[in-house]
Amino acid sequence: MEVDTQTASELDGQSRICNWLYNHLLEKSHDLKKQFIQSGDSETAKTLYTKRGLRNILPLIKQEHPFLKVVHSSPLKNTALRLSEAIQSHQKSKKGKRKGKRVGWPKFRAWKRDWFSLFYDEPEKGFKIQGNTLILSLGMGQDRKQRSVVLGLPEAHLLKGKIPRNLRIVSELGAYYAIFTVQKELPARKPISKILALDPNHKNLAYGVDTKGTAIEIASPQWLKAYDKRLDELKSKRDRCNKKSKKVQVLDEKGDPTGKEYYLSSKQWNKYDKAFRSALDKRREQTKTFMFTSAHRLFRDYDCIGIGDYTPQGGGITRPMRRAMNNRSLIGRWKNTLSWVARKSGKTFIEFDEKGTTRTCYHCLRVEEQGIPVSLRQWQCPQCQIVHIRDENAAINGLGKLLRELSTKSEGEYPSIVSSSDPAFVKKRWAWCILPSGVVVTPRGQDGEAIRNTRKLNRGHDSPRSKVDNLIIYDQV
């Protein structure tokens, strides 16, 4: 959005008040939690643990603190709902009813660290679009009249002919953004003709094989390691500045100490914290670009994409290995991206059980009972004497499972390739490197030279043609 200095100050003030309300409600939640543990009162539990319990006490809080009325009711209401949702997530996680990592009790928020977003959850309530401007309602001023600000929307043409369902105002790196949610009908499901099966792993992001015998190896984003190193340096320098922080006592209206205190960070700490958060935001945005570029490119070529159900769960022998597998692995988030792009484009996405795909020979179906060591990238089947590329063999077996699953769902009749009489099922191999400018595709041999070259590209070279021979710029995204 186009925001001047005065309007930016208005938006910051609205966000600060919502942040204060969140912390105030959290403090009340602590008291309600202690009260419920001691008394077991059902009304207290209803206020604390239900979806709209904290929201229902907002009118009383507004009477106690009239300055809350300068903010529109929608952001205030959604601030309370946001805290209630966090408490419910903690309760579900505590009882084992929530997937993923265990979620702790909500913590107090620092506005300087995280700008509190303003959420207007009802259509045409609290905001209105007129041409290239956004009129945003703020609340009542001292004259008890409704106030509003006018914001510029340079890309308002994207909303032409659409009715926004809700609006969220956010701020990142000093810029302000308006995020609209619009209702859109999903396209009709397209018939399946081109199918690709992907085997996710850590050596590369994924290795895929399609029904025409073409193999695709998608290189993992090597630049994540450089970002993590940079983030570690900034965080280490920032933490060393904690020694210079000063303890400040909180005073009441009369100037007497209240017994509460907090630490005031130094200018050097703020400098490193700003640089750390800037690098963190850039890492996040580049990661999103990487995932969406690859997902859109795949679904432009294929009608159905299946991927193995493997997701890293904290394994790894050494600490650097565990960090690489968990912090720098995009497998879990990439699956969500593939699923979303498939729904948006009318294509099909399936996650299949990949158990046994690596240790099973796709040609003679012999199973290595002891498994294949992780360090072994190629292995020979003792029965049919075929030399397998580890990831390629797993992807071919996954393709067979995918075809059988599609046939079971009456999606059509697909030939089985697991017991194919042709030992050399894969005829062409390509290595993909995802860059901000597009997808770089390189012919790949069994020696793996192409994928090593694409890893060099992934580390940040700007001129790919001068660094790697025989490159093809497959498309520009």
Side-chain angles (χ1 to χ4, degrees):
M1 299 184 298
E2 295 175 347
V3 180
D4 56 26
T5 305
Q6 183 177 356
T7 306
S9 178
E10 289 274 4
L11 294 176
D12 288 346
Q14 299 275 302
S15 177
R16 283 177 181 271
I17 293 175
C18 289
N19 192 91
W20 179 91
L21 177 62
Y22 184 93
N23 291 335
H24 183 73
L25 288 172
L26 182 55
E27 193 171 358
K28 279 188 171 294
S29 299
H30 284 294
D31 297 336
L32 290 171
K33 186 178 180 182
K34 293 178 182 178
Q35 183 179 342
F36 175 68
I37 293 174
Q38 294 174 357
S39 63
D41 183 24
S42 60
E43 290 298 323
T44 303
K46 186 177 180 180
T47 303
L48 181 61
Y49 296 117
T50 59
K51 182 178 180 180
R52 301 178 183 273
L54 294 176
R55 175 200 169 191
N56 293 337
I57 64 175
L58 275 180
L60 295 176
I61 298 178
K62 281 186 176 182
Q63 292 179 5
E64 297 174 2
H65 305 280
F67 68 89
L68 292 174
K69 295 180 181 180
V70 302
V71 181
H72 194 270
S73 59
S74 287
L76 294 178
K77 173 189 68 176
N78 286 287
T79 299
L81 293 175
R82 185 171 172 177
L83 178 58
S84 295
E85 185 180 356
I87 294 175
Q88 287 183 330
S89 298
H90 165 70
Q91 292 298 109
K92 291 178 181 178
S93 178
K94 186 178 178 181
K95 296 176 182 178
K97 297 181 180 180
R98 186 181 186 276
K99 295 182 179 180
K101 296 181 180 179
R102 186 164 180 174
V103 179
W105 184 264
K107 297 181 179 180
F108 291 100
R109 293 177 53 89
W111 182 84
K112 288 185 178 180
R113 180 175 297 178
D114 293 313
W115 201 89
F116 202 96
S117 61
L118 307 175
F119 187 44
Y120 296 79
D121 61 337
E122 298 182 44
E124 300 292 333
K125 185 176 180 180
F127 67 95
K128 188 176 181 180
I129 301 173
Q130 290 183 351
N132 291 335
T133 60
L134 170 66
I135 302 176
L136 194 69
S137 298
L138 301 182
M140 292 188 298
Q142 293 181 353
D143 55 357
R144 300 188 63 80
K145 291 184 179 180
Q146 196 76 20
R147 298 180 304 132
S148 62
V149 292
V150 179
L151 308 166
L153 293 179
E155 299 181 1
H157 61 277
L158 298 174
L159 299 172
K160 188 176 181 180
K162 300 175 182 177
I163 301 177
R165 297 186 64 182
N166 57 53
L167 164 67
R168 186 183 295 273
I169 305 294
V170 300
S171 175
E172 291 183 0
L173 300 177
Y176 296 86
Y177 300 90
I179 304 173
F180 295 94
T181 301
V182 296
Q183 187 171 359
K184 181 180 179 181
E185 293 184 3
L186 294 177
R189 192 173 177 183
K190 299 179 181 179
I192 298 175
S193 58
K194 298 180 180 179
I195 304 171
L196 175 72
L198 295 169
D199 174 57
N201 52 76
H202 297 286
K203 196 74 176 176
N204 44 54
L205 180 64
Y207 198 109
V209 175
D210 63 14
T211 49
K212 293 185 178 181
T214 302
I216 300 171
E217 185 173 10
I218 304 175
S220 58
Q222 300 294 322
W223 40 265
L224 285 176
K225 185 175 182 180
Y227 262 113
D228 285 346
K229 184 177 179 181
R230 175 61 176 163
L231 289 170
D232 288 343
E233 292 175 355
L234 291 172
K235 192 174 182 181
S236 176
K237 292 179 179 179
R238 185 188 67 176
D239 292 344
R240 284 199 293 268
C241 295
N242 285 332
K243 299 177 182 179
K244 300 180 181 179
S245 58
K246 298 179 180 179
K247 186 184 292 186
V248 180
Q249 290 188 350
V250 179
L251 305 178
D252 58 13
E253 297 177 354
K254 297 180 180 179
D256 299 327
T258 60
K260 297 181 180 180
E261 56 189 18
Y262 65 94
Y263 285 90
L264 184 64
S265 55
S266 63
K267 292 183 179 179
Q268 196 74 0
W269 189 95
N270 293 329
K271 174 185 174 182
Y272 286 124
D273 182 68
K274 184 178 180 180
F276 174 80
R277 298 198 171 278
S278 176
L280 201 63
D281 289 339
K282 289 180 181 179
R283 182 187 189 274
R284 182 192 62 198
E285 293 303 319
Q286 289 191 19
T287 301
K288 287 166 59 177
T289 301
F290 176 91
M291 293 191 295
F292 279 97
T293 300
S294 57
H296 280 286
R297 188 64 188 87
L298 286 171
F299 277 108
R300 203 172 77 181
D301 281 349
Y302 298 99
D303 304 315
C304 175
I305 292 179
I307 190 169
D309 58 356
Y310 169 73
T311 304
Q313 297 292 337
I317 302 173
T318 63
R319 184 177 180 182
M321 185 177 181
R322 286 192 295 272
R323 182 173 190 181
M325 292 177 67
N326 296 294
N327 293 8
R328 293 196 289 269
S329 176
L330 305 180
I331 295 173
R333 285 178 286 170
W334 195 49
K335 289 178 183 178
N336 294 333
T337 304
L338 288 171
S339 176
W340 185 85
V341 173
R343 290 185 62 197
K344 190 190 73 167
S345 57
K347 302 296 182 72
T348 304
F349 172 77
I350 298 176
E351 189 173 0
F352 59 84
D353 180 13
E354 66 171 60
K355 184 178 180 181
T357 54
T358 302
R359 65 176 68 186
T360 304
C361 172
Y362 79 86
H363 180 62
C364 65
L365 303 183
R366 183 184 183 277
V367 180
E368 289 289 339
E369 298 296 338
Q370 302 300 324
I372 309 297
V374 179
S375 59
L376 197 62
R377 308 313 301 174
Q378 293 187 10
W379 60 283
Q380 187 176 23
C381 177
Q383 184 167 311
C384 63
Q385 303 301 316
I386 295 179
V387 178
H388 296 296
I389 300 176
R390 177 192 182 91
D391 300 334
E392 187 172 283
N393 176 71
I396 295 174
N397 285 326
L399 180 60
K401 287 190 173 187
L402 182 61
L403 294 177
R404 290 194 295 272
E405 186 173 342
L406 289 173
S407 299
T408 304
K409 293 180 178 180
S410 301
E411 298 286 350
E413 294 295 330
Y414 301 97
S416 176
I417 64 163
V418 176
S419 58
S420 173
S421 59
D422 185 7
F425 177 77
V426 175
K427 303 299 189 298
K428 295 180 180 179
R429 295 180 177 89
W430 299 92
W432 282 23
C433 177
I434 314 299
L435 297 178
S437 58
V439 181
V440 178
V441 180
T442 310
R444 182 189 184 279
Q446 290 195 10
D447 58 353
E449 184 63 32
I451 201 65
R452 284 196 289 272
N453 287 337
T454 54
R455 284 173 187 157
K456 292 179 182 179
L457 284 176
N458 238 336
R459 293 189 184 104
H461 292 290
D462 295 325
S463 54
R465 290 189 180 276
S466 63
K467 300 294 180 181
V468 185
D469 296 332
N470 301 323
L471 286 183
I472 302 172
I473 302 299
Y474 209 92
D475 68 344
Q476 298 294 326
V477 180

